[in-house]
Amino acid sequence: MAFTAKDVMALREKTGAGVMDCKKALTDADGDMSKAADLLRERGIAKAEKKASRIAAEGIVACYTEGKVGVLVELNCESDFVAKNPQFSEIAAEVSKVIIKNSPADVDALLACETEANGTVEEYLKGKIAIIGEKIAVRRFEKYETEGFLESYIHLGGKLGVMLDMAGEATDAAKEVAHDVTLQIAFTKPAYLTASEVSEETIAKEKEVLKQQAMNEGKPEAIAEKMVLGRIKKFYEENCLLEQAFIKDDSKKIAELLKSANTSINKFVFFVMGEGLEKKSEDLSEEVAKQVAAMKN
């Protein structure tokens, strides 16, 4: 029995499956709409589409590198049980390979990219959803390509991930410092690399807040304005990575630590898994602090 494009769209409307999946199902069902719908359910494709409305608030942050190219990606699912499954990490690696090869601009562009043997990334994920039984979604990613070397750190099996683009040669000293810096970022979560990256608008707003804080403490306006200068310095020290005190030796700043190993940082990125999604909060800073304490001993 022949079928038309209108039939394909009707099946898509009925099941929520993709156009190509509907076309294949109708072909296999010889144009029978009801049988094609059953085939989609049997193949788990319609099931996968229905899960799209669920909140995927668990998952992992993973890092995948090929030489001087690396990807940090957050892949979400619905339960911690699935997130801990080795197969889930394999999905993150497969998606990362596609990102390295195609350099998509965003998640939507990534979903349209072809995988090596499983259709598009979107189709690949649908297939995994059908097998695993939970919604799986790529939330965000960052790709780095460096002339120096890359360093990464994944905390607690994927609860937080850091990737560094380092300048210069990957000497033993440089790699050791780079590793320490990834731990620093995981612990302090800096918003900037250098003070020069902070916009004038951000500083002006911060000064206004700090001035008001001082005045609320009972300080005269003139005194409050002077106090702001010192507090702005603290703002830089807390939020700019190179200005921060090294967590393993607070007598050194990160900038000094890097200089001692004759290396520097081009840029960095970190993802906290599920940040901003509906899920129970976990004190990651406390967890990393325990690890830092253990390293000092």
Side-chain angles (χ1 to χ4, degrees):
M1 184 190 303
F3 61 90
T4 65
K6 187 175 181 180
D7 295 326
V8 174
M9 296 312 295
L11 182 61
R12 185 177 190 276
E13 194 72 26
K14 179 180 179 181
T15 65
V19 173
M20 295 308 296
D21 292 324
C22 290
K23 186 175 180 181
K24 187 175 189 309
L26 281 166
T27 300
D28 294 344
D30 197 25
D32 187 316
M33 185 73 72
S34 178
K35 187 177 178 182
D38 288 340
L39 283 173
L40 288 171
R41 286 195 294 273
E42 289 168 9
R43 293 167 181 173
I45 295 171
K47 175 184 174 184
E49 289 290 347
K50 289 178 181 178
K51 291 182 181 293
S53 62
R54 296 186 182 178
I55 295 174
E58 295 294 338
I60 59 171
V61 176
C63 187
Y64 181 86
T65 59
E66 291 183 0
K68 291 182 177 291
V69 186
V71 169
L72 191 70
V73 61
E74 180 180 347
L75 187 68
N76 296 139
C77 57
E78 296 176 46
S79 70
D80 191 49
F81 176 77
V82 167
K84 291 178 179 178
N85 189 314
Q87 186 179 11
F88 196 67
S89 295
E90 292 172 6
I91 296 171
E94 185 66 27
V95 170
S96 297
K97 291 176 186 177
V98 176
I99 295 169
I100 286 177
K101 181 178 179 180
N102 297 276
S103 299
D106 51 31
V107 172
D108 287 339
L110 169 63
L111 293 176
C113 291
E114 293 288 330
T115 61
E116 289 187 0
N118 298 285
T120 65
V121 170
E122 183 174 18
E123 292 165 342
Y124 168 72
L125 291 178
K126 285 178 183 177
K128 294 300 181 182
I129 291 169
I131 294 169
I132 292 173
E134 288 191 6
K135 178 182 177 182
I136 299 172
V138 180
R139 186 183 183 203
R140 51 185 170 169
F141 64 86
E142 189 77 33
K143 175 185 173 182
Y144 279 176
E145 188 164 359
T146 184
E147 293 183 0
F149 66 98
L150 299 172
E151 182 67 30
S152 62
Y153 169 68
I154 300 298
H155 182 60
L156 285 180
K159 295 300 182 183
L160 180 151
V162 180
M163 184 167 64
L164 275 177
D165 175 359
M166 302 293 295
E169 187 180 350
T171 64
D172 289 343
K175 287 192 290 184
E176 182 179 355
V177 165
H179 175 72
D180 282 339
V181 172
T182 60
L183 190 60
Q184 175 91 17
I185 294 168
F187 181 64
T188 63
K189 303 178 182 64
Y192 311 95
L193 176 60
T194 68
S196 62
E197 293 178 1
V198 187
S199 69
E200 292 183 6
E201 180 182 0
T202 298
I203 291 300
K205 183 177 180 180
E206 188 66 21
K207 284 181 176 179
E208 186 61 35
V209 170
L210 293 174
K211 178 181 176 182
Q212 192 59 51
Q213 285 178 355
M215 292 177 68
N216 289 343
E217 293 168 4
K219 303 295 189 296
E221 184 172 356
I223 299 298
E225 288 179 350
K226 291 180 180 179
M227 290 176 64
V228 165
L229 297 177
R231 292 185 177 183
I232 279 292
K233 183 175 183 293
K234 185 177 180 182
F235 170 84
Y236 284 129
E237 290 172 347
E238 290 178 347
N239 293 280
C240 302
L241 178 60
L242 298 186
E243 299 295 322
Q244 290 181 346
F246 182 30
I247 54 176
K248 290 168 65 176
D249 181 359
D250 58 15
S251 68
K252 298 179 182 178
K253 285 192 174 184
I254 294 299
E256 296 170 327
L257 182 69
L258 291 163
K259 188 176 181 180
S260 69
N262 195 30
T263 189
S264 60
I265 301 170
N266 291 322
K267 54 187 175 180
F268 71 90
V269 59
F270 69 89
F271 295 155
V272 177
M273 197 287 299
E275 188 174 39
L277 296 176
E278 294 179 23
K279 66 187 293 292
K280 65 179 182 179
S281 62
E282 296 172 303
D283 193 344
L284 289 168
S285 293
E286 182 177 345
E287 293 168 359
V288 181
K290 290 178 181 178
Q291 185 165 334
V292 172
M295 290 176 69
K296 287 182 177 180
N297 296 331

